[in-house]
Amino acid sequence: MTLEELMNAPAPASGWVLAQDCAETGLDPDDIRQEMARRIGEMRASIERGLKSDARSITGMVGWNAKGLWDAPDVLGAPLLRRVQAYAMAVNEENARMGRIVAAPTAGSAGTIPGALIGVADHLGLPDERLVDPLILAAGVGKAISKRMFISGAAGGCQAEIGSSAAMAAAAVTELLGGTPRAAVHAASLALMNTIGLVCDPVGGYVEVPCVSRNAFFAVHAVSAAQLALAQLESFIPPDEVLGAMASVGRMMPAALRETADGGLAQTPTGLAVTARMEGREPEGDLPGGMVELPMA
Amino acid sequence: MSLLDMIGPVMIGPSSSHTAGACRLGLVAHHLLGEAPRRAVIGLHASFAKTGRGHGTHLALVAGLLGFAPDAPHLPRAFEEAEAAGLTVEFRDVDLGDVHPNTAHIDLHGETQHVTVQGSSTGGGVIQVTQVQGLGVNFSGSNPTVLLRYIDAVGMIARIATTIAADGVNIAALTCTRENRGGLALLAIELDAPLSEQALAFFNRWSDTDWVRMLPKLMDG
């Protein structure tokens, strides 16, 4: 399954994806649809838990962001924006607390698709039944990406991880709002083009900073890509060529920038201090300013 | 890789590679042991050793050894569950050489059985098992997989394949490695469906086969 094939598939794109996948795996389409419906329920449950909880994560670096945003006044008068961001962070904070989530495609990027898809649906008052087919399309886009490149930060940097989830979410939102297969794939491609080169630099190696806020940003990014594609804007570079470019950038990326915590934000003084504290080594001197109080391991 | 692997697994966080994948590696050892686990020594390589503790990798591996799925709500309490089940676990940081950074080597003992499993968690909860009982294999757990250890001889693979065909099951992929000519050989066969109890019992009766295990499908898709 390539993005080119998906783009030229008969509408709806999700129907074509489901038929292709079932032919390949021998699974029953009704079973997949039923399981996807259950997974939307799991996503929603993790959003609801995450919006209410301010319990800290394992390291204490995150845990109150989703609730904080959700409870804060909507200063921009942009309820969709706030909803999408809060939903995405709610899922990833649940994840950081060792709560139950749906990896989509990974756990580190688990908030992007529910943030964008469920966030848009709730904003527009659409029922969860309408989300099953878009979620199947998201999975199909993920499958097309994983055949050509990687979906883990360790293999391809965060472009592979959150880039993939943003592309999957962009296609899903596009189909939800009536977009053609061509529009859905171009939404995915536009989202991917804007993530090329993104490094995976989790502080201390934990799926917390910058992962939680990054999911919030990229859920909005996905909705934004869907908006462009629904207005007939297209990715100038053909979608499969964008994937090729990402794969090539991923291979060029040094290991320090691929989920090893040896580069980027993880190597800032605060990042190093958190790592030292979590490993039971006292950091030299005082912890840098602005840092939260960490539980002693 | 199916659609349910791309949106899923439903799992306990925080990392599909460090938690769900680690749990599945533990599950492989759990199923291949074939009895209650009593003692485990787990070697953690590279990223598993370096960032595993904060990712719950240790908890997830132990949960898998106990037979918990990656979405088991009690996964974060795996250490207490292990104690209650009489399983002791020792972790070591190891250098397994030029392998995937998320690789674990599991040495698992029960009352009478012993199994070693080495495998990598390659992202999104997907695993690749690379060694069983010290011999090279290559399977992911996305299909039911039968493993057979036997004394290398002419025609063994044909006999095994014939039995599987007679059971009405299709072979998806197969790897075979051996210590040396005429030595111990291990065959790992990925199948479209699990084998019947009768077929497994038949393999167990062969005098040249000393170890047979049926690993269930571990992935959703």
Side-chain angles (χ1 to χ4, degrees), chain A residues 259, chain B residues 15-23 47-48 51-52 55-57 60 102 121:
Chain A
E259 209 183 337
Chain B
S15 161
S16 41
S17 55
H18 285 72
T19 323
C23 179
S47 173
F48 264 10
T51 67
H55 278 128
T57 302
N102 296 332
S121 173

Side-chain angles (χ1 to χ4, degrees), chain A residues 17-18 21 24-25 27 35-36 38-39 42-43 58 95-96 98-107 113 135-136 139-140 142-143 146 151-152 168 204-207 259-260 262, chain B residues 1-19 47 50-51 53-56 59-60 71-73 75-76 100-102 122-125 217 220-221:
Chain A
V17 162
L18 189 58
D21 193 64
E24 191 182 310
T25 61
L27 297 173
E35 184 55 29
M36 287 294 183
R38 194 176 76 81
R39 288 181 183 189
E42 292 279 1
M43 287 175 171
I58 300 160
N95 183 55
M98 288 195 86
R100 191 175 153 103
I101 53 97
V102 184
T106 64
I113 291 173
L135 195 61
I136 287 169
K143 204 170 148 173
S146 70
I151 56 159
S152 81
M168 293 159 72
Y206 300 97
V207 192
E259 209 183 337
T260 52
D262 289 336
Chain B
M1 181 76 62
S2 91
L3 297 176
L4 296 176
D5 300 319
M6 298 311 307
I7 301 291
V10 179
M11 57 168 284
I12 303 299
S15 161
S16 41
S17 55
H18 285 72
T19 323
S47 173
K50 204 167 166 186
T51 67
R53 201 161 289 280
H55 278 128
L59 290 166
D71 67 342
L75 188 149
H100 191 282
N102 296 332
T122 58
K217 174 179 168 143
D220 299 319

Side-chain angles (χ1 to χ4, degrees), chain B residues 16-63:
Chain B
S16 41
S17 55
H18 285 72
T19 323
C23 179
R24 283 177 170 151
L25 289 172
L27 271 173
V28 171
H30 167 87
H31 288 295
L32 295 185
L33 184 68
E35 64 178 18
R38 288 284 167 250
R39 191 168 65 81
V41 179
I42 302 179
L44 299 174
H45 172 80
S47 173
F48 264 10
K50 204 167 166 186
T51 67
R53 201 161 289 280
H55 278 128
T57 302
H58 300 63
L59 290 166
L61 279 160
V62 171

Side-chain angles (χ1 to χ4, degrees), chain B residues 86-129:
Chain B
L87 166 65
T88 59
V89 185
E90 185 191 326
F91 288 98
R92 288 179 187 161
D93 291 354
V94 291
D95 182 351
L96 297 171
D98 185 20
V99 296
H100 191 282
N102 296 332
T103 298
H105 182 93
I106 303 170
D107 194 351
L108 184 65
H109 294 264
E111 292 295 344
T112 64
Q113 300 291 315
H114 172 224
V115 68
T116 65
V117 173
Q118 184 170 311
S120 311
S121 173
T122 58
V126 176
I127 59 167
Q128 205 61 34
V129 181

Side-chain angles (χ1 to χ4, degrees), chain A residues 121-191:
Chain A
D122 285 1
H123 178 73
L124 299 175
L126 304 173
D128 282 1
E129 303 89 82
R130 292 273 306 274
L131 305 182
V132 174
D133 289 331
L135 195 61
I136 287 169
L137 174 57
V141 169
K143 204 170 148 173
I145 294 172
S146 70
K147 289 216 164 145
R148 185 81 190 258
M149 80 143 233
F150 348 88
I151 56 159
S152 81
C158 211
Q159 58 167 9
E161 199 154 335
I162 205 125
S164 299
S165 68
M168 293 159 72
V173 171
T174 303
E175 179 165 308
L176 176 71
L177 300 182
T180 60
R182 185 175 179 89
V185 171
H186 275 285
S189 183
L190 287 164

